[in-house]
Amino acid sequence: MRAIQVKQYVKGPGDLTVTTLPDPTPSPDTYLIAIHATATNFFDLLQIRGKYQHQPPLPWISGAEFAGIVLATPSSKTLPKFKKGDRVFGSSQGGYATQVCAREESLMPVPPGWGFLEAAGLMVTAPTSYAALLNRADIKRGDYALIHAAAGGVGLAAVQIAKAFGATVIATAGSSRKLEVVRGFGADHAIDYNKEGWAEEVKKLTPQGRGVDIVFDPVGMVNTSLKCTAWGGRIVVIGFTSGNIEKVAMNRVLLKNISLVGLHWGTYPKEQPKTVEQVWEGLFRLMKEGKFKGTVYTDREFCGLEQVGEALSMLGRRETWGKVVVSVPQGPESKL
């Protein structure tokens, strides 16, 4: 197979190279998948530099999200969930390759009518946004929801989910193109968070200027968001893409009776596996109803593993929106 193997940590994605390796041999409890599309993530940028909290032992294959076709089923299972030839998407270490091994609980069926590109970016972003809004923020019809970094993968997922459950969505983003994108995905209002006084602008968009009921924050913008959160509001922290882990003014949290909660989706399979099932049931229902669509970045196409480095570079420079996905042709045609 062809893959991006990390033998030693690199300075950046431009140093990644594609190499030929033996095809992976699945263990008795894993599937073998032919990858047709692979999705990029911010944590990939940290992992290749040796700066992520989960570092596989060297050497290892980079990437973690993909979509493709089942080549072989687990030998230990008499009734596997998926059969040879099924279209699946999932998450497993080694996504920047033409083949990968993955456990059954890390795979989902590609939704009817969806392509590999759209499905490859679902496994991390979609359930994170759904669980944050439904399980942690208890979103309901009539809520005003402030979605930060709304043009990102989790952001665009959150915009669609909030709209599907009857909320008015105020989305923030950092460029005119990204503001255009979030409106295209259903945001009722779009605000540039680089603009001074954006929090006051948010308040003016809510009834009687009371502020928003929900803040969805993957960036690290809690302190400023407290200014435009309503009494009794809910703030969900899902990440710190700004690189800044905030020290929050807890007196404001107390005085406004705000619920401040976190969401780390990666711990749910171990801590609350039933919730994982419920979240995916909810997401597939929204897809079937046409209320949730893929969030693939379409301003430029990336084809072949050789373009993973450039895709990651653009992601790191914040030049993209949605999920940046690379198509992975099978065979020698993948070479540029």
Side-chain angles (χ1 to χ4, degrees), residues 12-330:
D15 297 325
L16 297 174
T17 58
V18 181
T19 188
T20 299
L21 299 170
D23 290 348
T25 302
S27 64
D29 61 348
T30 61
Y31 290 80
L32 179 63
I33 312 295
I35 296 177
H36 286 257
T38 186
T40 62
N41 286 286
F42 276 106
F43 62 75
D44 294 333
L45 289 165
L46 297 175
Q47 201 176 50
I48 62 175
R49 295 183 176 101
K51 298 185 180 299
Y52 193 52
Q53 59 260 40
H54 304 298
Q55 291 292 148
L58 294 166
W60 47 272
I61 297 170
S62 187
E65 263 190 306
F66 56 84
I69 295 175
V70 175
L71 294 178
T73 59
S75 60
S76 64
K77 293 182 180 289
T78 55
L79 292 172
K81 181 179 178 181
F82 304 103
K83 64 182 185 299
K84 185 176 179 180
D86 280 354
R87 300 163 75 245
V88 295
F89 67 91
S91 179
S92 184
Q93 186 68 54
Y96 296 153
T98 53
Q99 294 183 12
V100 70
C101 294
R103 298 176 63 86
E104 190 165 275
E105 60 268 27
S106 299
L107 297 171
M108 290 286 169
V110 173
W114 285 55
F116 291 123
L117 279 177
E118 292 78 17
L122 279 174
M123 200 69 180
V124 173
T125 57
T128 295
S129 300
Y130 191 100
L133 291 171
L134 273 294
N135 298 71
R136 303 298 279 158
D138 193 26
I139 196 168
K140 59 186 181 298
R141 182 168 298 280
D143 278 341
Y144 275 69
L146 175 61
I147 311 294
H148 284 310
V154 290
L156 288 178
V159 168
Q160 296 181 84
I161 293 164
K163 289 299 298 178
F165 283 90
T168 296
V169 172
I170 303 172
T172 69
S175 71
S176 58
R177 173 59 180 142
K178 291 180 179 181
L179 294 172
E180 177 188 7
V181 168
V182 299
R183 291 188 189 98
F185 275 79
D188 298 283
H189 308 281
I191 293 175
D192 186 341
Y193 55 56
N194 294 312
K195 189 175 166 185
E196 191 174 344
W198 64 260
E200 283 303 313
E201 192 174 343
V202 168
K203 283 185 69 175
K204 290 175 183 176
L205 293 171
T206 62
Q208 291 81 51
R210 61 176 172 81
V212 295
D213 304 289
I214 293 170
V215 176
F216 176 93
D217 183 16
V219 182
M221 298 175 68
V222 171
N223 275 318
T224 311
S225 299
L226 285 168
K227 298 176 182 178
C228 58
T229 304
W231 189 96
R234 292 93 75 195
I235 299 177
V236 188
V237 176
I238 66 162
F240 313 96
T241 59
S242 67
N244 176 41
I245 297 178
E246 295 179 281
K247 294 181 179 178
V248 176
M250 295 304 291
N251 60 320
R252 293 189 196 168
V253 175
L254 182 151
L255 292 171
K256 296 179 78 172
N257 282 266
I258 289 171
S259 297
L260 178 59
V261 299
L263 184 284
H264 182 194
W265 177 248
T267 59
Y268 272 75
K270 178 184 176 182
E271 301 293 340
Q272 292 187 11
K274 278 291 181 186
T275 300
V276 175
E277 294 178 17
Q278 293 164 1
V279 165
W280 279 110
E281 286 173 5
L283 282 165
F284 283 128
R285 185 165 55 248
L286 293 183
M287 294 174 202
K288 186 177 180 180
E289 294 171 353
K291 296 178 179 178
F292 189 95
K293 62 182 180 180
T295 62
V296 179
Y297 175 71
T298 56
D299 291 357
R300 173 178 169 178
E301 291 184 4
F302 298 94
C303 182
L305 294 172
E306 288 82 0
Q307 294 202 343
V308 166
E310 176 59 15
L312 282 171
S313 295
M314 290 182 66
L315 180 70
R317 296 193 299 265
R318 304 185 188 280
E319 295 173 357
T320 61
W321 52 263
K323 285 292 293 190
V324 182
V325 182
V326 180
S327 63
V328 183
Q330 292 287 317

